[in-house]
Amino acid sequence: MTNGRRIRGSQRIAKSKNKRVEHRKILIAAEGVKTEPQYFERLAKTLKAKAVRVVSVRPVGVGRDPLSVVREADRRRVVEKRIGDPFDEVWCVVDVDDHASLERACVEAGRLSIDMAISAPSFEVWLLWHFEDMATSSDGRALHRTLKVKWGFSDKSIPESFPYGNYDVAAKRASRCEEARFKHSPPNPSSSVPALIDVLIKAYTEEGNEK
């Protein structure tokens, strides 16, 4: 037993004074050190997916590297498993950008049974779809400039007024993009973040069913 949680297969039990709630434990290791963790922390509050833990992976070496995100996610998973409170799912949130290691990261993630949420050209396209449609290719700088000028973003911070509840609208916009033939080389624009959102929604739904 660890922190009031008891292992039972892939699920654990959290106990409070008068209720018994089962929930999934999900690790989200993000490439970005600020924007992505901030998004998923606040989205989790919106969905009331209290079992979500957001982890920010700081750049290693020359900068952002998807392979380092996968390795850090695996390291944290091993640590949690060792102490008897393993994650049910592990996701890595990375960008395409100009990463030379993306293909190797996808191969490594597959070997380790870690899921990947990849955005092209960057996570900013997923954020922009909460506000407006965009079906043409772009680059990370242009997306960041649009978010800053039109929608109140400051540097890497998401504004308090961000419409987190529009995730379903953003997912519909993402679904209209060209499908990825190769996971490590998705079309621009595109994002597989909706698959992760579905997991979070399911986690929340399962919690609700137990209440």
Side-chain angles (χ1 to χ4, degrees):
M1 185 179 294
T2 305
N3 296 328
R5 305 176 78 198
R6 176 170 59 83
I7 297 176
R8 194 185 68 181
S10 63
Q11 292 182 316
R12 285 159 296 283
I13 299 173
K15 294 181 178 180
S16 61
K17 291 182 179 179
N18 301 309
K19 61 183 180 181
R20 176 174 176 271
V21 180
E22 292 193 12
H23 60 260
R24 297 181 68 76
K25 185 177 176 184
I26 302 167
L27 171 66
I28 302 174
E31 176 184 328
V33 297
K34 192 171 183 179
T35 305
E36 290 94 327
Q38 189 179 73
Y39 174 82
F40 286 108
E41 285 170 357
R42 294 182 182 176
L43 178 70
K45 290 181 180 178
T46 300
L47 298 175
K48 297 181 180 178
K50 299 176 182 176
V52 176
R53 179 180 297 183
V54 178
V55 175
S56 173
V57 178
R58 292 190 177 279
V60 176
V62 297
R64 298 177 297 177
D65 178 359
L67 186 57
S68 70
V69 176
V70 172
R71 288 172 174 168
E72 177 64 12
D74 183 54
R75 187 188 70 80
R76 290 175 183 264
R77 179 172 63 176
V78 170
V79 170
E80 293 296 296
K81 184 176 182 179
R82 189 176 297 153
I83 64 176
D85 193 20
F87 292 104
D88 295 298
E89 295 193 40
V90 178
W91 285 76
C92 291
V93 179
V94 301
D95 298 340
V96 172
D97 280 341
D98 296 319
H99 290 313
S101 70
L102 183 56
E103 183 173 0
R104 284 188 294 148
C106 290
V107 171
E108 184 71 355
R111 187 182 70 81
L112 297 169
S113 297
I114 291 176
D115 290 300
M116 300 280 280
I118 306 171
S119 298
S122 64
F123 186 72
E124 278 71 16
V125 71
W126 171 250
L127 297 176
L128 183 61
W129 280 331
H130 286 67
F131 297 100
E132 61 182 75
D133 200 3
M134 193 200 74
T136 57
S137 63
S138 184
D139 60 66
R141 289 185 178 181
L143 289 170
H144 180 68
R145 186 166 54 251
T146 299
L147 289 170
K148 184 176 182 179
V149 173
K150 294 183 64 177
W151 303 112
F153 281 62
S154 174
D155 294 327
K156 293 292 185 179
S157 294
I158 299 176
E160 291 294 328
S161 59
F162 185 84
Y164 292 93
N166 283 357
Y167 62 83
D168 53 343
V169 176
K172 288 178 182 176
R173 288 168 174 161
S175 70
R176 292 197 289 266
C177 294
E178 181 183 352
E179 293 185 6
R181 294 182 58 191
F182 302 101
K183 195 170 185 178
H184 65 274
S185 184
N188 181 350
S190 68
S191 178
S192 55
V193 169
L196 172 54
I197 302 295
D198 287 343
V199 168
L200 301 183
I201 292 173
K202 183 179 179 182
Y204 169 62
T205 302
E206 288 178 346
E207 277 195 18
N209 289 338
E210 293 295 328
K211 292 177 181 178

